[in-house]
């Protein structure tokens, strides 16, 4: 099966991306989550190829994602630029036995993902990047209406959430279920009270260290696959995805906020609701786990991670997750 897929990818690249295909030496698998990602080795040059999970995004939605990436790059936010086909398309289609698969190719970014001991420094740099990105988003969001999904309460942890339910009986005790339900009620209540002209726009929605590459002391942001219309503070919360239980995360986020404020304004209402967006994201990730239980990353999680999730939510409800401007 894998050999047949590799053959399909090879033929597709040589046909649709001849500049890459004529120098293609080999293809190697990188990772699988929402999509399958491969490295194209072309000797001196390398590229990243993404096979889109069928049904996750339409071709038009992916084209909008890649346009967002290009706009950010043009405005000095470092990203992996998409590569076009010989006909100028940034999304191509490979015909596979199970149906058509959407394909995107990106320039390869040499560098390293941040290590935990570097997180304080990286989150500080991320504050500048994210604040600048949100300023850019304000000016371009109207052009992306209806072109990218909206992640509101209902789509994040509500009845129509993107990744389904956070609840599985063999992982959640009755007291834990009640805790999460109480936090959901509190999140929804606070969202109803959270208003402003500059709180919602086109965001990355997963700018955690795994989606950051450090190259020559600069941050390169990758994997915009989940970019959507949502709250800017949710974007900040999502930068701590899967790390919310680490007690150092408060220091990391305070460092992010300190530098964010040098390029973009926040008020006390923004700061007050941020812990609840962190709880919201953690609950969303619980649902992600169940919908991706066979993925490589999900296999590294388990009951211990869920126990940590409840601890994070409890701390937030008790007002112990203190962030400061």
């Amino acid at each position: 099966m894998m050999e047949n897929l590799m053959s399909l990818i090879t033929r597709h690249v040589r046909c649709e991306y001849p500049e890459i295909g004529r120098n293609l030496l080999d293809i190697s698998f990188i990772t699988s989550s929402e999509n399958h990602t491969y490295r194209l080795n072309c000797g001196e040059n390398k590229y990243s190829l993404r096979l889109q999970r069928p049904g996750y995004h339409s071709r038009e939605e992916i084209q909008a994602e890649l346009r967002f990436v290009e706009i950010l790059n043009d405005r000095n936010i470092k990203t992996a630029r998409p590569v076009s086909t010989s006909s100028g398309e940034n999304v191509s289609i490979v015909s596979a036995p199970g149906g058509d698969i959407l394909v995107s190719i990106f320039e390869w970014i040499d560098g390293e993902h941040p290590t935990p001991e570097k997180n304080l420094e990286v989150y500080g740099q991320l504050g500048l990047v994210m604040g600048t990105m949100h300023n850019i988003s304000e000016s371009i969001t109207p052009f992306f209406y209806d072109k990218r999904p909206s992640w509101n309460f209902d789509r994040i942890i509500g009845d129509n959430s993107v990744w389904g339910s956070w609840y599985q009986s063999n992982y959640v005790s009755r007291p834990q279920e009640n805790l999460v339900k109480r936090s959901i009620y509190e999140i929804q209540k606070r969202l109803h009270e959270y208003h402003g002209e500059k709180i919602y726009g086109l965001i990355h929605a997963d700018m955690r260290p795994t989606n950051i590459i450090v190259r020559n002391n600069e941050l390169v942001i990758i994997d915009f696959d989940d970019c959507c219309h949502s709250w800017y503070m949710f974007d900040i919360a999502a930068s701590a995805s899967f790390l919310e239980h680490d007690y150092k995360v408060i220091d990391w986020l305070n460092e992010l906020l300190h530098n964010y404020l040098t390029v973009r304004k926040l008020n006390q209402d923004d700061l007050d609701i941020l812990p609840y967006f962190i709880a919201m994201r953690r609950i969303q990730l619980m649902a992600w786990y169940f919908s991706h239980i066979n993925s490589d990353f999900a296999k590294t999680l388990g009951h211990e991670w869920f126990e940590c999730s409840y601890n994070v939510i409890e701390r937030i409800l008790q007002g112990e997750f203190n962030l400061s401007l």
Side-chain angles (χ1 to χ4, degrees), residues 86-196:
S86 57
S87 60
E89 298 289 336
N90 57 16
V91 181
S92 59
I93 301 175
V94 60
S95 296
D100 290 345
I101 302 174
L102 298 172
V103 178
S104 306
I105 293 181
F106 301 85
E107 64 176 352
W108 185 264
I109 304 297
D110 283 315
E112 302 291 336
H113 292 292
T115 55
E117 59 269 18
K118 291 285 188 180
N119 273 352
L120 187 64
E121 177 185 347
V122 167
Y123 272 85
Q125 291 177 270
L126 185 58
L128 293 172
V129 171
M130 193 177 288
T132 303
M133 188 184 297
H134 291 170
N135 287 335
I136 295 169
S137 171
E138 265 192 65
S139 65
I140 66 173
T141 290
F143 300 102
F144 286 86
Y145 286 140
D146 301 325
K147 292 182 172 66
R148 289 298 300 178
S150 290
W151 278 16
N152 52 23
F153 173 86
D154 190 49
R155 296 292 287 159
I156 296 174
I157 56 172
D159 292 338
N160 295 299
S161 57
V162 174
W163 292 318
S165 174
W166 55 269
Y167 178 78
Q168 292 287 336
S169 59
N170 56 325
Y171 276 79
V172 185
S173 68
R174 182 57 61 84
Q176 290 166 340
E177 179 186 0
N178 291 337
L179 172 67
V180 176
K181 286 182 175 178
R182 183 158 54 92
S183 72
I184 290 173
Y185 172 81
E186 189 65 27
I187 290 165
Q188 193 168 28
K189 173 173 170 267
R190 288 176 179 261
L191 286 175
H192 281 309
E193 299 167 352
Y194 183 50
H195 304 287

Side-chain angles (χ1 to χ4, degrees), residues 234-278:
F234 180 77
D235 209 17
I236 293 177
S239 72
S241 295
F242 297 104
L243 302 172
E244 301 93 344
H245 57 279
D246 192 315
Y247 278 83
K248 294 178 183 177
V249 79
I250 292 178
D251 293 334
W252 300 339
L253 289 175
N254 277 333
E255 190 71 10
L256 184 155
L257 290 167
H258 175 78
N259 287 324
Y260 186 100
L261 284 166
T262 65
V263 293
R264 183 174 172 83
K265 291 181 180 179
L266 293 175
N267 58 40
Q268 192 61 45
D269 288 344
D270 299 319
L271 192 66
D272 289 344
I273 201 169
L274 180 53
Y276 294 91
F277 277 126
I278 292 170

